[in-house]
Structure formats: structure tokens, C-alpha cells
């Protein structure tokens, strides 16, 4: 399961891939704890951000499934955002459900617009978010684009160039 097993200060550490939030994200496990980075968010953090940052929806969902399977293997799970907890599977399920909810909201919004900027605005409105600055906009944009890419990969959405615009549309199959 892990890669790059190392020993540091007498503690055996294992690097565990958890891509999705970022491309090459790793968790580090050792000494009875698993530091999960941003592979999962505490529920209050998850909902505070409304549309959390993800670069790959499908890989995030796979990482959440793998992480949930580690319950019982470690005494503690320590996320990058939130308190240490003893059982991670419930948070994984909640994070996965929220990510699917975001992906499906983006899919449904394609019936209203094919413009990415407008999709971002409508997704923010859908989740009652206020995007306060360009940095949060770009983080939100990344997640919306990750949702569109996942929808395209599954065949639910097509993408094409029309008059120098990247246009996303529901598949007509």
C-alpha cells in the first residue's frame, strides 16, 4: 500500500499516495498515526469553503475510498485542516458525498450555460458562496474545471472550441 518506506528517529514511516486535492499528494503514516494532509477535510472545513479545491475529482474519490479502508490500521488520523480523529471513514464518506454533490451541481448548470466563468458564478450561487477575491476564484475555478473533466471522462459532457472559446456541453447520447 505505501511507497517510500523510511525510518526517522526510530519511527518507521510510510508514504501513501492520495492524489486528487493536488496531483502528487502523499499521506505519511507511522508511529500509530496517519497524517492525511488534504486528502480529507473535517466536515466544518468542508462546508466552510463550499467548493473546496480539487484538481482531479475521480482521483480524489479513489483516494477517499483508499483512505477509508485504513480505518483501524492507525490509532489516529491527522488531517491538514481539522482535529486528529480515531476513525476517518465517516469523514471520507462525507467528503465523497460533497464532492459528488458539487460535480452534479456543475453538470446540472450546463443546461443553463456553457461558459466557464458563468458556471463558476452559478456554482457559487448554488452553494450560497461569496467569492471574496481572485485567489478564491481561481481555487473554485480549478474545482469546477476538475468536475467538468470528470464529467467529460465519463462521457456525460463534451468539450469543443467554438470561436476561440472552450465550450462544455451535455452529451447528447
Amino acid at each position: 500500500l505505501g511507497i517510500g518506506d523510511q525510518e526517522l528517529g526510530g519511527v518507521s514511516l510510510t508514504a501513501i499516495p492520495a492524489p486528487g486535492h493536488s496531483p502528487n499528494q502523499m499521506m505519511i503514516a507511522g508511529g500509530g498515526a496517519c497524517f492525511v494532509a488534504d486528502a480529507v477535510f473535517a466536515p466544518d472545513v468542508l462546508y466552510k469553503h463550499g467548493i473546496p479545491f480539487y484538481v482531479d475529482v475521480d482521483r480524489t474519490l479513489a483516494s477517499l475510498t483508499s483512505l477509508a479502508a485504513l480505518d483501524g490500521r492507525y490509532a489516529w488520523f491527522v488531517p491538514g485542516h481539522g482535529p486528529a480523529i480515531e476513525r476517518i471513514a465517516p469523514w471520507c464518506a462525507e467528503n465523497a458525498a460533497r464532492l459528488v454533490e458539487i460535480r452534479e451541481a456543475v453538470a446540472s448548470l450546463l443546461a443553463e450555460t456553457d461558459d466557464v466563468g458563468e458556471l463558476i458564478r452559478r456554482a457559487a450561487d448554488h452553494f450560497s458562496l461569496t467569492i471574496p477575491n481572485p485567489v478564491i476564484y481561481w481555487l473554485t475555478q480549478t474545482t469546477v474545471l476538475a468536475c467538468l473533466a470528470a464529467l467529460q471522462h465519463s462521457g456525460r459532457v463534451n468539450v469543443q472550441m467554438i470561436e476561440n472559446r472552450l465550450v462544455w456541453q451535455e452529451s447528447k447520447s
Side-chain angles (χ1 to χ4, degrees), residues 53-68:
F53 177 80
Y54 299 102
V55 298
D56 189 315
V57 170
D58 295 330
R59 292 182 88 187
T60 299
L61 293 170
S63 290
L64 288 165
T65 298
S66 296
L67 176 54

Side-chain angles (χ1 to χ4, degrees), residues 122-147:
R122 290 178 188 226
D125 289 349
H126 176 84
F127 289 104
S128 301
L129 303 175
T130 299
I131 299 175
N133 58 57
V135 171
I136 301 303
Y137 181 89
W138 294 318
L139 294 172
T140 304
Q141 174 181 278
T142 300
T143 301
V144 169
L145 289 170
C147 289

Side-chain angles (χ1 to χ4, degrees), residues 1-6 13-18 25-30:
L1 181 61
I3 61 171
D5 293 338
Q6 299 287 320
L13 300 174
T14 302
I16 305 168
Q25 178 171 250
M26 292 285 187
M27 300 182 292
I28 303 295

Side-chain angles (χ1 to χ4, degrees), residues 46-47 50-52 93-103 127:
L46 180 68
Y47 294 105
I51 301 175
E94 194 161 353
N95 276 246
R98 180 61 171 197
L99 186 50
V100 167
E101 180 184 11
I102 294 166
R103 183 192 64 206
F127 289 104

Side-chain angles (χ1 to χ4, degrees), residues 11-16 27-36 67 70 73-79 84-86:
V11 177
S12 178
L13 300 174
T14 302
I16 305 168
M27 300 182 292
I28 303 295
C34 184
F35 298 89
V36 302
L67 176 54
L70 296 177
R73 192 169 197 178
Y74 301 101
W76 292 99
F77 293 89
V78 184
I85 58 173
E86 295 180 40

